[in-house]
Amino acid sequence: MRLKMCSIHVKDPASAHEFYTGILGFETLMAMPEYNLFILKDPGSAGGAGLLLEPSDNPIGAAYMNGLHDAGIPAIVFGVPDVRAEYDRLAAKGVMFQGEPSEGPGGTSVVMDDGCGNFVQLHQD
């Protein structure tokens, strides 16, 4: 058994697709704009799990997304080799963060706002 796909609720899947590919560097696995369907994959990966940019038009999905965001809780965690370098790269592109990268018992991490309705944690591999 393996993880095939996970999803993250977003306000606008097309805008989220633009941010996640253009700013964060994910690659498109599938894009069907006419159906508001966008699935991403890790850059350069042949396999691995897909990330569905789920429309938040369902009231349950919207409540979940908004509840997490209002509480400042990350909806998903992405691994990066160097949190500080990624923080610097993304901050230079205008991405907003909750604060500076920090080290704790679980490692080095930072939380950013994806501008699509979610906080995303970057965690150092």
Side-chain angles (χ1 to χ4, degrees):
M1 192 174 299
R2 63 183 174 81
L3 180 62
K4 179 156 183 150
M5 187 175 314
C6 62
S7 66
I8 185 170
H9 286 272
V10 295
K11 292 178 182 175
D12 177 3
S15 294
H17 177 257
E18 205 171 290
F19 175 81
Y20 279 70
T21 57
I23 302 293
L24 298 186
F26 285 90
E27 294 178 355
T28 303
L29 183 60
M30 179 186 295
M32 298 173 69
E34 64 276 16
Y35 297 107
N36 216 17
L37 175 67
F38 298 89
I39 303 172
L40 309 174
K41 68 182 188 97
D42 291 341
S45 72
L51 177 63
L52 171 62
L53 301 172
E54 185 87 36
S56 60
D57 53 1
N58 178 302
I60 295 169
Y64 176 73
M65 179 188 71
N66 292 327
L68 287 176
H69 193 271
D70 291 348
I73 299 171
I76 196 163
V77 178
F78 297 142
V80 296
D82 184 333
V83 166
R84 174 52 72 176
E86 200 63 24
Y87 170 86
D88 292 341
R89 180 183 81 82
L90 294 173
K93 292 184 174 211
V95 174
M96 301 302 294
F97 288 86
Q98 285 183 346
E100 296 275 327
S102 62
E103 258 186 73
T108 304
S109 65
V110 70
V111 177
M112 68 175 193
D113 191 328
D114 71 359
C116 306
N118 301 286
F119 286 113
V120 175
Q121 182 179 28
L122 303 180
H123 188 268
Q124 193 155 310
D125 293 335

